[in-house]
Amino acid sequence: ASYLERMVERKRIEVDNLLRRHNEPEDKLVMRMSYMASENLYNVTKSLQLETVDEEDGDLRRLSVMVDLKRRSPTVRDRKNVVEFSNAPKFAELLALAGTDAFLINTDDAEYGGRYEDLKACSDAVRLQTPGDKHPPGCIYKDIIIHPVQIAQALDNGAAGVLLIVSVVGADLEVLLDACTIMGVEPLVE
């Protein structure tokens, strides 16, 4: 089996465990999956729409910078550690000050060195450091998403969006897109 197939299988086990822990009708994740969100704030879209006017021709330009925040990568064989950082929210703050518009926050520890608490901590950190008249960088949940409960959990931890990987979700893409609509979160589709 390929590394992607192994990751998906491991994620299925994680989701089964998550569903066992969140199966009561009053559970916050079950409730989030069950009720239509009152609004979608389009936080990812707003984060990625940095507008500038070209000085030479006066044309409106849009340039966005998105950082894939991960410590390791399963596809880098010789050097497993991609970036050394111990404090994800502090790293996100520094990158936001440098002009980053959005972050893909990897939460998978086994393959990427991510931690689920990184999502909440980074989201809180960049929101708190952003002036009130500006839109904070969007923190996008990046994991092997195979079930709507993962989307609900990501929202509960401050995600502005979620990354759906077509090669992973296949025919379930429509179900996951519908779940995003119901929960009021923007999906990015790879």
Side-chain angles (χ1 to χ4, degrees):
S2 72
Y3 84 91
L4 183 58
E5 291 168 329
R6 289 190 304 271
M7 286 173 60
V8 170
E9 186 54 38
R10 187 175 40 76
K11 201 53 63 176
R12 283 190 180 111
I13 294 167
E14 286 179 24
V15 167
D16 285 345
N17 290 331
L18 183 63
L19 288 169
R20 277 192 214 98
R21 290 192 316 268
H22 298 279
N23 62 7
E24 297 296 322
E26 301 82 23
D27 182 86
K28 62 184 177 181
L29 297 185
V30 172
M31 290 179 72
R32 188 179 286 274
M33 290 187 296
S34 302
Y35 296 99
M36 180 70 86
S38 60
E39 63 182 328
N40 185 329
L41 302 176
Y42 299 104
N43 290 324
V44 174
T45 299
K46 289 177 185 173
S47 294
L48 297 177
Q49 289 186 340
L50 180 66
E51 296 180 359
T52 58
V53 177
D54 186 281
E55 292 179 16
E56 289 183 29
D57 59 18
D59 286 346
L60 184 64
R61 304 272 193 247
R62 286 196 171 108
L63 172 67
S64 295
V65 175
M66 186 181 304
V67 172
D68 192 355
L69 200 62
K70 60 184 169 188
R71 293 172 179 91
R72 294 190 304 267
S73 175
T75 58
V76 178
R77 292 184 186 266
D78 296 338
R79 190 166 171 254
K80 282 290 227 182
N81 287 338
V82 177
V83 176
E84 294 288 337
F85 60 90
S86 60
N87 187 325
K90 186 54 83 180
F91 192 49
E93 284 178 13
L94 292 171
L95 290 167
L97 287 172
T100 300
D101 301 299
F103 297 97
L104 292 165
I105 308 291
N106 286 272
T107 60
D108 184 84
D109 181 45
E111 300 294 338
Y112 296 98
R115 299 178 188 105
Y116 212 87
E117 53 273 7
D118 289 348
L119 178 60
K120 178 77 171 147
C122 288
S123 179
D124 289 347
V126 297
R127 189 176 52 252
L128 289 173
Q129 89 164 28
T130 304
D133 62 334
K134 304 284 184 195
H135 199 277
C139 289
I140 301 157
Y141 171 63
K142 182 177 179 184
D143 201 343
I144 303 294
I145 298 175
I146 58 173
H147 193 282
V149 72
Q150 293 170 280
I151 298 168
Q153 187 179 33
L155 286 170
D156 202 47
N157 282 283
V162 297
L163 179 68
L164 302 176
I165 304 169
V166 174
S167 63
V168 171
V169 302
D172 291 333
L173 179 62
E174 187 174 348
V175 170
L176 293 170
L177 289 172
D178 287 345
C180 288
T181 299
I182 288 168
M183 292 184 241
V185 65
E186 287 181 281
L188 274 71
V189 179
E190 176 182 279

